[in-house]
Amino acid sequence: MIEVKNISKAFGEKQVLKDVSCLFERGKTNLIIGASGSGKSVLIKCIVGLHEVDKGEILYDNRDFKSMDIVKRREIRRELGMLFQASALFDSLTVEQNVMFPLIMYSGMSKSEMLDRVNFCLKRVNLVNANHLYPAELSGGMQKRVGIARAIALNPKYLFCDEPNSGLDPQTSILIDNLIQEITHEYDITTIVVTHDMNSVMEIGEKIFFIYKGELWWKGDKNSILETDNKEIGEFVYASHIMKLLKSKH
Amino acid sequence: MNIVFHFGRYFIMMYRVFSKPEKFGIYRENTFKEMISLGIGSMGIVAIISLFMGAVITIQTASNIDSPWIPSYTVGFTTRQSVILEFSPTIIALILAGKIGSNIASEIGTMRVTEQIDALEIMGINSASYLTLPKIIAALFINPFIIIYSMFLGMFGGWIVAVSTGIVTSNQYIYGLQYDFKPFDITYALIKTVVFAFVITSIPAYHGYYTRGGALEVGRSSTRAVVYSSIAILVVNYLLTQLLLI
């Protein structure tokens, strides 16, 4: 479980997050949604400590992340995995070396144990026979899968996904979404997904936080989001032609 | 104010770079890889520059000696002093600042803009140290060998041109190389080399590490890295010369 309490963040004069509080539950896919520039990516980066919050608290299972020194933060970070928008795979390493990287750094496993774990993770994300390929040789969807495999290599307690579907076709997007949800349930981890993709919302939105102009505007789940009469959510959800058509049919 | 900000941030980064590594084995392995990349990869360009540099110094010295009272071996002596004291340590450092510096800044800068550095941080790794320390250690270790190699080739280049053009005889040139040799000159050159090695790795690493934006900014960081490390080499060269030779 991750709890953020009243966090605010400004870049210079620009206030990006205003007093945001959320409770991200364990064993569920928690979605942070909102329009581009609403502050959702800044929120996830504040939670993992890539940006320092100006005020507020971030609690990882009641452990106050903000007040920790850098050494203790690194210990927490070893419990989390993150899938980045552009996958952020190390270009100089092969798929196998990318997934093995966190294991080499922290696991204390033997080479053969690490290799077994790498193959298990790659099989889990349905990526076989790609061990010796470099990231540049992979498609966008394959890169995301490697990113997920790397994120789960150390059995994380927390999984963060920043726009996991960006640049992917609708079918691959659904595969990645389902994979994230399956892993969340299978390992009973706290997963936070930042997205603006309504397909993802409807596919895996077990808990949804809608950020609007840096504020937590609404929270609910994939069923309640279609029924809310909140104007800003309505504009976000029914922005696309297909959603408008669906709405008119109902 | 801007300069103070950059100095402050540079020293904070260096503090992080020299903090205890997560896993010595990985750092050691990376240091060896960097030695090959930074050291062996620079041998070719260093050889070409050094040979021609020595040849040109020899010709210029010979062409400027008009008086019959100045002995012929002065050509070898001057070539040796110029190569050891200044050309090999400083000019090669400037060349390496361009080659290695731009390479380091663009490599780390690209990792920054593609979120690879964020990925390292998320894994709980001290990214500044992981990416920079092996490069600095590798350069500190390998650059003195490169400079000694450059000195040898510089003097050899001078010998080739001296003998092939008949400016001075081989014996006179070699006598000049040996004449009034002070071992401290080599020490002085190697002290400079080690300091320059730190400059040409740490300054580009700093510029790469704090790159913001996209491909355009990576290019700008790379350019800034070369410019500032070259300026730093010239300033440090003056300070060390003042300190060690006067």
Side-chain angles (χ1 to χ4, degrees), chain A residues 2 44 47-50 60 63 65 73-84 102 106 150-160 189-190, chain B residues 118-119 121-124:
Chain A
I2 298 170
I44 199 173
I47 296 171
V48 297
L50 290 174
Y60 282 78
R63 293 172 292 175
F65 187 69
R73 278 189 178 198
R74 286 199 186 118
E75 284 168 16
I76 292 267
R77 281 175 170 172
R78 285 166 204 170
E79 296 176 9
L80 61 89
M82 185 156 179
L83 174 62
F84 287 84
Y106 301 120
R150 186 176 68 180
I152 63 169
L154 280 173
N155 279 323
K157 289 164 83 173
Y158 316 99
L159 179 64
F160 296 86
I189 55 179
T190 307
Chain B
D118 288 346
E121 286 290 326
I122 290 296
M123 288 177 201

Side-chain angles (χ1 to χ4, degrees), chain A residues 74 77 91 101 104 106, chain B residues 23 26 116 122-124 130:
Chain A
R74 286 199 186 118
R77 281 175 170 172
D91 334 293
F101 187 83
I104 293 170
Y106 301 120
Chain B
K23 201 156 185 175
I26 301 291
Q116 292 177 52
I122 290 296
M123 288 177 201
Y130 179 80

Side-chain angles (χ1 to χ4, degrees), chain B residues 1 11 23 30 42 48 68 75 80 186 221 227 231 239:
Chain B
M1 191 62 198
F11 284 113
K23 201 156 185 175
N30 287 352
S42 305
I48 293 167
V75 175
R80 183 198 76 203
I186 300 284
S221 288
V227 170
I231 293 169
L239 292 174

